[in-house]
Amino acid sequence: MKLSITAQLDYTIRDEADVLLQIEAASDDPAQRVIAGKMRVATGSELHPVPVETGIGRRTWTRGAGPFQVEYAASVEVERSVRDIADLGTTPYAELPGEAVPYIWPSRYCQSDQFESFVAQQFGALTGGAKILAMADWIETHLDYVPGASNAQTGATDSFISRQGICRDYAHLLISFARAAGIPARMVSAYAWDLEPQDFHAVTEVWLDGAWHLVDATGLAPMEGMVPIISGRDATDIAFMTIFGRADFNAQSVRVAKLD
Amino acid sequence: MKLSITAQLDYTIRDEADVLLQIEAASDDPAQRVIAGKMRVATGSELHPVPVETGIGRRTWTRGAGPFQVEYAASVEVERSVRDIADLGTTPYAELPGEAVPYIWPSRYCQSDQFESFVAQQFGALTGGAKILAMADWIETHLDYVPGASNAQTGATDSFISRQGICRDYAHLLISFARAAGIPARMVSAYAWDLEPQDFHAVTEVWLDGAWHLVDATGLAPMEGMVPIISGRDATDIAFMTIFGRADFNAQSVRVAKLD
Amino acid sequence: MKLSITAQLDYTIRDEADVLLQIEAASDDPAQRVIAGKMRVATGSELHPVPVETGIGRRTWTRGAGPFQVEYAASVEVERSVRDIADLGTTPYAELPGEAVPYIWPSRYCQSDQFESFVAQQFGALTGGAKILAMADWIETHLDYVPGASNAQTGATDSFISRQGICRDYAHLLISFARAAGIPARMVSAYAWDLEPQDFHAVTEVWLDGAWHLVDATGLAPMEGMVPIISGRDATDIAFMTIFGRADFNAQSVRVAKLD
Amino acid sequence: MKLSITAQLDYTIRDEADVLLQIEAASDDPAQRVIAGKMRVATGSELHPVPVETGIGRRTWTRGAGPFQVEYAASVEVERSVRDIADLGTTPYAELPGEAVPYIWPSRYCQSDQFESFVAQQFGALTGGAKILAMADWIETHLDYVPGASNAQTGATDSFISRQGICRDYAHLLISFARAAGIPARMVSAYAWDLEPQDFHAVTEVWLDGAWHLVDATGLAPMEGMVPIISGRDATDIAFMTIFGRADFNAQSVRVAKLD
């Protein structure tokens, strides 16, 4: 599937501030090819990309003062074989490679250690991919998708109690459940085709049978049209933009369209 | 300084369990050279080292069942130039390299976002290394070193309130304060010469003027005799041993002696 | 039902300490009559009873130093008409009397405000006593009774996540759910006939149709044999003993036997 | 001092809702005499006062639908002898009367148990009223008064870390410190003469030498012009208005003027 992606961020920075952007389609995800991608700040601020040391994607530093508009446009060829993960097995801890280990622990928003009893009780009879799919189903069934119900402090334990949230919260819960069951899990920001309303999306990657596999606990967009941006332990690592100073929001839009 | 290091861990694993060991002196820390290092499990369990993707050190997977004794012995040449960091400057966010970025955010035990007002109030007049040294002083002055006062759930906010803790808690506080001031900071486990009583130690690394610098907020051991093992965002990443199953503690000892 | 009750507490107080005892069968619970009740401290420390300002029961101050043994013995006539509460209605907020109001808010261990969505989602179709019974059923079904799984810091949100606890935790959850649904609820410590193993018990009282009604979310003992001691907002108010100093536990026993 | 008090609350209730008002000058505070006091809802909704079981003040139930305006006007004679509490002593636990006991425990917003080490470290050399005054000074010195820095979830531990808050947060901290030192403390809402800007105020009462004594950790208004409304364990019990349903804020004003 060939997709056209545009993202526009429009803020006003009071004084002056450093800014971290994480909005480019990942060029190191084997399931997608970025044919053309261009990010620019309207004021012409220089962009300094830096690599992420783990996972996929990259980060870009820039600076702003006053009006701050960012535009990103890309066309991406996605060939995500959406295989059913139900038959994939859990890798024993002692066989996990270095790249999977950071994703077995609890993290800031994913307090997986607190969910061990619940996960054993609820999903103990299943293993591997079947377990992950049951977890995603449970989350989709028991959570209401309520924009505004969560904020930057909300973690998986909060969402488990409030039973409300957005894509970020669904992902945090699935990551927490997976890790509590000994399955490495990380968070991935993504552009998503056919997501309504169009916005940045957040999904989950789980490590099964020696590879990462994408899962979307919200079920809001088809897996074939997912375009990962960057991965991390949880929302901490993958915010699309961080302004290190005071700023006001003006407008923001994301558009993902099918080209063929 | 040439040091002889031995560590012995003696546990009994009920049933069978995967185990992650992080007790080898780091061979990729530029300030030390591991002349000879040998880790073995008494039962002869195979060891599977895996790299850490960020920072220094490596992890080793193994398995155990029943009596589980680990022995590590090494001789290490340390040439840690203990420069005074007081004159080192803070690197602006937008100039941070990829390797420093993961250490600017809050993490599981280091809720740095909650300390921003306090840090501005208390240390706002200082910058760079002088700020870090003032933070370390504040922590050493205001905390009591009380073994048993904290546990695996204790984070920096808890220690800030209780005013008690051990090396782990001192490090978590310093990391939180540093990040709240825009200075990347990470946690490092270490062997420490002249530490009383002898034990695994935990210290902090801060990013100043383009490099990582070790700081020990406890002031309990001389910096020249520090032998880093592994680094991470906080205690989550660097536990010396994780047994993924039920186990009982029998005995444990660490010895660091000067050889010349 | 006529019951014989004895409770024995055996501690050693280091130095000297004030002690608060809350172990006498309530003499102001209309469903029971304390025929004879006697509490004494082995060392002969004076007892200073003080009233509770809300709810039932009373508190007793005393002091101890060194060996500290308390013995309480009573015979109590209980005539608890165990009516089915299923048909009782919820009292609208604006019709609640002063004595019920303190029990509509969240309290230290009962974070009822966080459960509002869950309670609406799960129990929204029911009202009054039927709702309370469904909540008690849910708790009994979803929690495992695991001594040692909780401690003095554990609140309802923790138990909701861990799905484990003891009578105290079951009561905290039921209180939280009830308050989240607009039904005043408080905690009651009690002696319980036919409870295995014998121990102090904790149950819940809910305000329905103008009166308090006992409910036991654990289902571990028959309601007819409950002998309330004292009521409060949550475990904070009703601990059977508080020693304001350091002390060591030696032994403790509770016995409730049927006399006729 | 004779004071004229008016308070006006203007909200719009979506649908219909029960409302709890706690805005009348307490008629049972021995230091003040309510000469004339009148509360009314513009729509003429009936008012149902209910007593508080502990402390001072009373609560009033009413109902609203759509526009909801409340007006309270009173003239109050205050004769608060503002004695220096520095010489008052701490009452030993075992001599506390029933009315003081509920205020020795941690409560929802006042996690006093977590402050015991800090309080011993910082204020351990002092006792009684002198200790309370030192605590109030510490709070006034270390906190910045920042409207908007806290919300309905903010407790004393949060304010201790953030070092910011409003009168409510100052009171929660003082209550927590006092209880951690074994001094019963409760929260009191009040009208305050010479408070800028004029608003509902929150202060603290501590139990010293057998009586409650008002203390204002903010130091923002003179003690002689304080007119208590209602007391409770913390902000949970004393909110000036609770609307049990959805409502929008329109306007609100408080005026306290000296009459002679």
Side-chain angles (χ1 to χ4, degrees):
Chain A
M1 189 187 301
K2 202 168 163 186
L3 298 169
S4 154
I5 295 168
T6 58
Q8 291 177 309
L9 312 176
D10 183 353
Y11 288 73
T12 302
I13 295 175
R14 309 183 191 179
D15 309 314
E16 205 181 4
D18 292 335
V19 179
L20 185 65
L21 296 168
Q22 304 183 142
I23 59 173
E24 294 175 291
S27 61
D28 52 358
D29 180 315
Q32 67 195 17
R33 193 167 57 90
V34 181
I35 300 163
K38 177 88 192 139
M39 178 167 64
R40 60 184 296 276
V41 178
T43 51
S45 299
E46 264 186 69
L47 300 176
H48 299 285
V50 296
V52 300
E53 309 267 308
T54 57
I56 57 159
R58 68 172 180 176
R59 320 183 196 275
T60 300
W61 286 111
T62 188
R63 290 184 60 76
F68 184 76
Q69 284 134 19
V70 181
E71 187 167 310
Y72 172 68
S75 60
V76 179
E77 178 78 44
V78 191
E79 283 187 52
R80 199 165 296 285
S81 73
V82 187
R83 59 166 302 183
D84 183 1
I85 63 168
D87 294 331
L88 300 180
T90 304
T91 307
Y93 278 117
E95 294 171 20
L96 290 176
E99 68 163 304
V101 175
Y103 307 101
I104 61 178
W105 318 114
S107 62
R108 181 185 180 197
Y109 293 121
C110 299
Q111 306 93 338
S112 48
D113 49 343
Q114 298 186 35
F115 290 102
E116 286 175 16
S117 310
F118 169 73
V119 162
Q121 209 180 74
Q122 191 74 30
F123 309 108
L126 301 168
T127 61
K131 191 170 214 156
I132 293 294
L133 292 176
M135 289 171 172
D137 273 354
W138 190 97
I139 294 167
E140 200 182 334
T141 305
H142 288 81
L143 255 68
D144 291 330
Y145 198 93
V146 180
S150 55
N151 60 37
Q153 303 307 318
T154 307
T157 52
D158 302 308
S159 305
F160 185 75
I161 293 167
S162 75
R163 301 292 167 100
Q164 298 184 330
I166 58 167
C167 56
R168 164 192 194 285
D169 307 301
Y170 282 64
H172 282 159
L173 259 187
L174 182 52
I175 292 167
S176 301
F177 287 179
R179 291 182 190 165
I183 299 171
R186 66 186 188 188
M187 193 159 171
V188 177
S189 59
Y191 292 104
W193 172 67
D194 205 14
L195 176 69
E196 275 305 318
Q198 297 228 328
D199 203 348
F200 292 105
H201 199 39
V203 293
T204 302
E205 270 190 335
V206 292
W207 183 268
L208 294 170
D209 270 353
W212 290 108
H213 298 269
L214 271 187
V215 187
D216 180 0
T218 71
L220 290 177
M223 205 54 74
E224 310 90 272
M226 292 285 169
V227 180
I229 296 169
I230 190 170
S231 68
R233 297 192 183 188
D234 57 29
T236 304
D237 295 340
I238 65 171
F240 63 86
M241 181 168 66
T242 308
I243 299 175
F244 292 86
R246 305 187 66 184
D248 300 303
F249 170 85
N250 299 320
Q252 184 173 304
S253 72
V254 167
R255 233 158 308 159
V256 180
K258 209 172 167 182
L259 285 179
D260 51 12
Chain B
M1 189 186 302
K2 201 168 164 187
L3 297 169
S4 155
I5 295 168
T6 58
Q8 292 178 307
L9 312 176
D10 183 353
Y11 287 72
T12 302
I13 295 176
R14 308 182 191 180
D15 309 315
E16 205 181 3
D18 292 336
V19 179
L20 185 64
L21 295 167
Q22 304 183 143
I23 60 172
E24 294 175 291
S27 60
D28 52 357
D29 180 314
Q32 66 195 20
R33 192 168 57 89
V34 181
I35 300 163
K38 176 88 192 137
M39 178 167 64
R40 60 184 295 277
V41 177
T43 50
S45 298
E46 264 186 70
L47 301 175
H48 299 284
V50 296
V52 300
E53 309 268 307
T54 57
I56 57 159
R58 68 171 180 176
R59 319 183 197 274
T60 300
W61 286 111
T62 188
R63 291 183 61 77
F68 185 75
Q69 284 135 19
V70 181
E71 186 167 309
Y72 172 68
S75 59
V76 180
E77 178 78 46
V78 191
E79 283 186 53
R80 198 166 297 286
S81 72
V82 188
R83 59 166 302 183
D84 183 1
I85 64 168
D87 294 332
L88 300 179
T90 304
T91 307
Y93 279 118
E95 294 172 20
L96 290 176
E99 67 163 305
V101 175
Y103 307 101
I104 61 179
W105 318 114
S107 62
R108 180 185 181 197
Y109 293 120
C110 299
Q111 306 92 339
S112 48
D113 49 343
Q114 298 186 36
F115 291 101
E116 286 175 17
S117 309
F118 170 74
V119 162
Q121 210 180 74
Q122 191 75 28
F123 309 107
L126 301 168
T127 60
K131 192 171 213 155
I132 293 294
L133 293 176
M135 290 170 172
D137 273 354
W138 190 96
I139 293 167
E140 199 182 334
T141 305
H142 287 80
L143 255 68
D144 292 329
Y145 198 93
V146 180
S150 55
N151 59 37
Q153 304 306 318
T154 308
T157 53
D158 301 309
S159 305
F160 185 74
I161 292 167
S162 75
R163 301 293 167 101
Q164 298 183 330
I166 57 166
C167 56
R168 163 193 197 283
D169 307 300
Y170 282 63
H172 283 160
L173 259 187
L174 182 53
I175 292 167
S176 301
F177 287 179
R179 292 182 190 165
I183 298 171
R186 67 186 186 188
M187 193 158 171
V188 177
S189 58
Y191 292 103
W193 172 67
D194 205 16
L195 175 69
E196 275 305 320
Q198 297 229 328
D199 202 347
F200 292 105
H201 199 38
V203 293
T204 303
E205 270 190 335
V206 292
W207 184 268
L208 293 170
D209 270 353
W212 290 107
H213 298 269
L214 272 186
V215 188
D216 180 0
T218 71
L220 290 177
M223 204 55 73
E224 310 90 273
M226 292 285 170
V227 180
I229 297 168
I230 190 169
S231 68
R233 297 191 183 189
D234 57 29
T236 304
D237 295 340
I238 65 171
F240 63 86
M241 180 167 68
T242 308
I243 298 175
F244 292 85
R246 305 186 66 185
D248 300 303
F249 170 85
N250 299 320
Q252 184 172 305
S253 72
V254 167
R255 233 159 308 158
V256 181
K258 208 172 169 182
L259 285 178
D260 51 11
Chain C
M1 191 187 300
K2 202 167 163 186
L3 297 169
S4 154
I5 295 168
T6 58
Q8 291 177 308
L9 312 177
D10 183 353
Y11 288 73
T12 302
I13 296 176
R14 309 182 191 180
D15 308 316
E16 205 182 4
D18 291 335
V19 179
L20 185 64
L21 295 167
Q22 305 183 142
I23 60 172
E24 294 176 292
S27 60
D28 53 356
D29 180 313
Q32 67 195 17
R33 192 167 56 90
V34 181
I35 299 163
K38 177 88 192 139
M39 178 167 64
R40 60 185 294 278
V41 178
T43 51
S45 299
E46 264 186 70
L47 301 175
H48 299 284
V50 296
V52 299
E53 309 267 307
T54 57
I56 57 159
R58 68 173 179 175
R59 320 184 197 273
T60 300
W61 286 112
T62 188
R63 291 185 60 78
F68 184 76
Q69 285 134 19
V70 181
E71 186 167 310
Y72 172 67
S75 59
V76 179
E77 178 77 45
V78 191
E79 284 186 52
R80 199 165 296 285
S81 71
V82 188
R83 58 166 302 183
D84 182 1
I85 63 168
D87 294 332
L88 300 180
T90 304
T91 308
Y93 279 117
E95 294 172 21
L96 290 176
E99 66 162 307
V101 175
Y103 307 101
I104 61 179
W105 317 114
S107 61
R108 182 185 180 197
Y109 293 120
C110 299
Q111 306 93 337
S112 48
D113 50 342
Q114 297 186 36
F115 290 101
E116 286 175 16
S117 309
F118 169 74
V119 162
Q121 211 180 73
Q122 190 74 29
F123 308 107
L126 301 167
T127 60
K131 191 171 215 156
I132 294 293
L133 292 176
M135 290 170 171
D137 273 354
W138 189 98
I139 293 167
E140 200 182 334
T141 306
H142 287 80
L143 256 69
D144 291 330
Y145 197 94
V146 180
S150 56
N151 59 37
Q153 303 306 318
T154 308
T157 52
D158 301 308
S159 305
F160 185 74
I161 292 167
S162 75
R163 300 292 167 100
Q164 298 184 331
I166 57 166
C167 57
R168 165 191 194 283
D169 307 300
Y170 282 64
H172 283 160
L173 260 187
L174 181 53
I175 292 167
S176 301
F177 287 179
R179 291 181 191 165
I183 299 171
R186 68 187 186 187
M187 192 157 171
V188 177
S189 59
Y191 292 103
W193 172 68
D194 205 15
L195 175 69
E196 273 307 317
Q198 297 230 328
D199 202 347
F200 291 106
H201 199 39
V203 293
T204 302
E205 270 190 335
V206 293
W207 183 269
L208 293 170
D209 270 353
W212 291 108
H213 298 269
L214 272 186
V215 187
D216 181 359
T218 70
L220 290 177
M223 204 54 74
E224 309 90 273
M226 292 284 171
V227 180
I229 296 168
I230 190 170
S231 68
R233 296 191 184 190
D234 57 30
T236 304
D237 295 340
I238 65 171
F240 62 85
M241 180 167 68
T242 308
I243 298 175
F244 292 85
R246 305 187 66 185
D248 301 303
F249 171 85
N250 299 319
Q252 185 173 305
S253 72
V254 167
R255 232 159 310 157
V256 181
K258 209 171 166 181
L259 286 178
D260 51 12
Chain D
M1 191 186 298
K2 203 168 163 185
L3 298 169
S4 154
I5 295 168
T6 58
Q8 291 178 307
L9 312 176
D10 183 353
Y11 287 72
T12 303
I13 295 175
R14 309 182 191 179
D15 308 316
E16 204 181 4
D18 291 335
V19 179
L20 185 64
L21 296 167
Q22 304 183 143
I23 60 172
E24 294 175 291
S27 61
D28 53 356
D29 180 313
Q32 67 195 19
R33 192 167 56 90
V34 181
I35 299 163
K38 176 89 193 138
M39 178 167 63
R40 59 184 296 277
V41 178
T43 51
S45 299
E46 265 186 68
L47 301 175
H48 299 284
V50 296
V52 299
E53 309 267 309
T54 56
I56 57 158
R58 67 172 180 175
R59 321 182 196 274
T60 301
W61 287 111
T62 187
R63 292 185 59 78
F68 184 75
Q69 284 134 20
V70 181
E71 187 167 308
Y72 173 68
S75 59
V76 179
E77 178 77 45
V78 190
E79 283 186 53
R80 198 165 296 286
S81 72
V82 188
R83 59 167 300 184
D84 182 2
I85 64 168
D87 295 331
L88 299 180
T90 304
T91 307
Y93 278 118
E95 294 172 20
L96 290 177
E99 68 162 305
V101 175
Y103 307 102
I104 61 179
W105 317 114
S107 62
R108 182 186 180 196
Y109 293 120
C110 299
Q111 306 92 340
S112 48
D113 49 342
Q114 298 186 35
F115 291 102
E116 285 175 16
S117 310
F118 170 74
V119 162
Q121 210 180 73
Q122 191 75 29
F123 308 107
L126 301 168
T127 61
K131 192 170 213 156
I132 294 294
L133 292 176
M135 289 171 172
D137 273 354
W138 190 96
I139 294 167
E140 199 182 335
T141 306
H142 288 80
L143 256 68
D144 291 329
Y145 198 94
V146 180
S150 55
N151 60 36
Q153 303 307 317
T154 307
T157 53
D158 302 308
S159 305
F160 185 74
I161 292 167
S162 75
R163 301 292 166 99
Q164 297 184 331
I166 58 167
C167 57
R168 164 192 195 284
D169 307 301
Y170 282 64
H172 282 159
L173 260 188
L174 182 53
I175 292 167
S176 301
F177 288 0
R179 291 182 191 166
I183 298 171
R186 66 187 188 188
M187 193 158 171
V188 177
S189 58
Y191 292 103
W193 172 68
D194 205 14
L195 175 69
E196 273 307 317
Q198 297 229 328
D199 202 347
F200 291 105
H201 199 40
V203 294
T204 302
E205 269 189 336
V206 292
W207 183 269
L208 293 169
D209 269 353
W212 291 109
H213 298 269
L214 271 186
V215 188
D216 180 0
T218 71
L220 290 177
M223 205 53 75
E224 310 89 274
M226 292 285 170
V227 180
I229 297 168
I230 190 170
S231 69
R233 296 191 184 191
D234 58 29
T236 304
D237 295 340
I238 65 171
F240 63 86
M241 181 167 67
T242 307
I243 298 175
F244 292 86
R246 305 186 66 184
D248 301 303
F249 170 85
N250 299 320
Q252 185 172 305
S253 72
V254 168
R255 235 159 307 159
V256 180
K258 208 171 166 181
L259 285 178
D260 50 12

